[in-house]
Amino acid sequence: MQPAAVPTDRNSDIASAVVATMRQLGVLGLPRNYEIFYEALSGSNHELSLAVVSLSNRPTQQDLDHIGRTFFPQNHGPAIVEHAREMVAKELEDIASLLRSERTHIEKYGRILDETSSGLSNRSLLSQDLLQKIAGAMSAATSSTLDHNRQVASTLSEKTAELESVKSKLEEYKRLADTDPLTQIWNRRAFDKEITRIYNSNRGILFNALILADIDRFKDINDRYGHPVGDRIIQIVAEIFQTSIRADMFVARTGGEEFALIVEGASEDATYQLAERIRVLIEQTPFTSSQTGMNYGTVTVSMGICMASEADSPEDLYSKADRALYRSKVSGRNRVTRHSTMAGRAGKGWLLYKKD
C-alpha cells in the first residue's frame, strides 16, 4: 500500500491527506479508521505507520480493526468485552440446554429401572423369557445412557475449552489495553491503577516511591531527525529502564517522552541511587542509526523522586514527583532531584510550565 503524500502544512493538510488516502484505498469513513490513518500519516507512531503501509491496496475492515485493537485498545474495549459477553452467554445457554437434556435422559433411565424393579418383585410372573426381556431392556438402556453420558462429557469438554478461549482473549485484551504499543512496557492506564494501589494499605505508603523521568529536549530531537528517530530513542530509553530494574518493579511510559517507575521496598537513598544509575546509563548509551551509522548525539533524562509517605494520595504523590522533575529541568537538566530536598516545596507555581 502506498499512502498519499503528506502535504507540508502539518495541521490542516494532514487531515486532507487522511481523507484522500482513505478514499484512494476504499476505506470507510468511520471515526476509528480516521484515527488510524491520522496517527499513521502524522508520523507520531512509527510502528503504526509501518502497519498501515503493510496493508493491501484494498484493506478490509477486519484488517483495520485488528490494527485498531493493537494500537488503540482503549477505544475498542467495549466492543471486545461485549463480544466476549455474548460468547459467554451463548456457551452458558448451550451448557444449560445440555444439562436439561441430561436430566431428561436420566429421568427416563430411572423410569426404566422402576419398571424393571416392579417386574422383578412379582416373582409369580417370572419366567426365563421374561427375565431375558428384562435383561435385554436393562442392557440397552444402560448402554444408551453410557453413550449419552460420554457424548455429554465430550460436549462439556468442548464448551469448557471455548470458555477458556474467551477468557484467554479477555486477558490478552487486558494486556493490550495496559501496554504501550511503541515500547511494550506498561502505559498510563496501567500506571494510574498501580499508583492508586499504593494508597490501599499502610504498607504501600511506607514502602513505595515514585520516580518520574522525562527525556531532555525531545522536541528538538524530533524536529531535527524526525519522528521515527524519536520513536526509536523512546524505545531504547524504555529498554534501559526495563533492564535496569528488578523484575517486580513497575515501569510505564506515561506520555510522549515521559516515564514513571514505582519502586517498592527501598529507602529514599536506594531509590535515588537507582534513578542516578539509570540516568548515567542513558547518558552513556550511544544513540546511532544501525543502518546509516549516523550519531544522534547524547540523550539525557531529568528525573524527580518522591516517597509515598511524603504524599497524601496518588495525585499528590504524582504532583510532588513531577515538581521534583521540574526542578531538575530548570536546574540544568540531566539530573535527579528528591522532593524531600526542595525548599518551599509546598508552592503551586510549578504547575505552569512546559518541560521542554
Side-chain angles (χ1 to χ4, degrees):
M1 186 205 81
Q2 294 295 326
V6 181
T8 55
D9 185 5
R10 295 293 293 173
N11 290 327
S12 60
D13 290 344
I14 285 178
S16 300
V18 168
V19 173
T21 301
M22 290 174 64
R23 185 180 298 117
Q24 172 188 330
L25 298 174
V27 173
L28 293 176
L30 303 176
R32 64 181 188 270
N33 292 340
Y34 183 88
E35 178 183 36
I36 291 171
F37 281 88
Y38 185 90
E39 292 294 325
L41 294 177
S42 68
S44 60
N45 188 325
H46 182 55
E47 297 296 325
L48 172 60
S49 298
L50 290 177
V52 170
V53 169
S54 68
L55 288 170
S56 64
N57 287 329
R58 290 289 169 178
T60 66
Q61 189 59 49
Q62 184 178 4
D63 293 335
L64 294 168
D65 285 343
H66 176 72
I67 291 177
R69 286 192 297 271
T70 301
F71 291 93
F72 310 104
Q74 67 279 7
N75 297 340
H76 291 257
I80 294 173
V81 173
E82 179 63 20
H83 178 64
R85 187 197 68 79
E86 292 174 356
M87 287 186 65
V88 170
K90 178 182 180 302
E91 298 300 338
L92 290 177
E93 176 55 33
D94 289 346
I95 291 173
S97 175
L98 192 66
L99 293 176
R100 286 193 295 270
S101 171
E102 175 70 356
R103 177 181 176 181
T104 300
H105 201 87
I106 290 175
E107 289 175 347
K108 180 179 178 181
Y109 185 61
R111 287 195 299 271
I112 293 174
L113 291 178
D114 288 340
E115 292 171 0
T116 302
S117 176
S118 175
L120 289 173
S121 63
N122 190 351
R123 297 185 179 182
S124 61
L125 300 176
L126 288 178
S127 65
Q128 184 176 358
D129 183 55
L130 181 58
L131 285 173
Q132 287 178 341
K133 288 181 179 179
I134 291 174
M138 285 294 299
S139 176
T142 301
S143 177
S144 174
T145 299
L146 290 175
D147 288 342
H148 182 76
N149 288 346
R150 280 191 289 268
Q151 183 180 357
V152 168
S154 175
T155 305
L156 283 175
S157 178
E158 292 173 2
K159 296 298 179 183
T160 300
E162 290 168 0
L163 289 173
E164 284 295 327
S165 174
V166 173
K167 178 184 176 183
S168 177
K169 289 177 182 177
L170 285 175
E171 289 174 349
E172 175 66 8
Y173 158 68
K174 181 179 181 299
R175 186 192 67 79
L176 287 173
D178 287 344
T179 300
D180 174 55
L182 179 63
T183 62
Q184 297 304 304
I185 63 175
W186 299 113
N187 61 14
R188 182 58 187 256
R189 179 177 183 271
F191 168 74
D192 288 342
K193 291 189 292 187
E194 189 69 12
I195 195 173
T196 299
R197 181 192 61 79
I198 292 174
Y199 288 85
N200 289 339
S201 68
N202 290 331
R203 186 184 186 284
I205 296 172
L206 289 174
F207 295 102
N208 278 276
L210 175 62
I211 301 173
L212 294 183
D214 186 271
I215 300 176
D216 295 325
R217 304 188 188 281
F218 188 71
K219 183 178 183 300
D220 293 345
I221 294 173
N222 272 339
D223 290 345
R224 182 177 302 177
Y225 301 113
H227 287 284
V229 172
D231 286 349
R232 182 57 189 146
I233 287 173
I234 287 174
Q235 289 174 327
I236 295 172
V237 170
E239 289 170 9
I240 293 172
F241 266 100
Q242 202 163 27
T243 56
S244 302
I245 60 177
R246 300 193 314 262
D248 60 338
M249 288 185 181
F250 180 95
V251 62
R253 180 187 177 205
T254 55
E257 68 272 22
E258 300 173 356
F259 298 86
L261 175 59
I262 295 177
V263 182
E264 185 173 3
S267 66
E268 184 178 37
D269 286 343
T271 301
Y272 176 84
Q273 290 167 10
L274 172 64
E276 183 65 16
R277 185 170 72 251
I278 294 172
R279 182 196 65 78
V280 171
L281 279 172
I282 293 171
E283 183 182 21
Q284 294 177 346
T285 297
F287 287 83
T288 58
S289 171
S290 59
Q291 297 176 337
T292 66
M294 182 175 182
N295 190 331
Y296 301 118
T298 300
V299 174
T300 64
V301 296
S302 297
M303 298 188 184
I305 295 173
C306 185
M307 305 301 291
S309 56
E310 290 187 72
D312 298 325
S313 65
E315 295 79 12
D316 191 32
L317 175 61
Y318 186 88
S319 295
K320 288 177 175 176
D322 198 39
R323 191 180 309 168
L325 169 59
Y326 176 54
R327 177 61 58 87
S328 292
K329 289 286 188 182
V330 299
S331 298
R333 299 181 175 84
N334 189 25
R335 63 192 65 215
V336 181
T337 301
R338 312 183 199 204
H339 180 266
S340 63
T341 64
M342 293 170 54
R345 54 183 187 264
K348 296 184 179 179
W350 65 275
L351 286 168
L352 303 176
Y353 78 92
K354 183 179 179 183
K355 291 172 182 168
D356 270 324

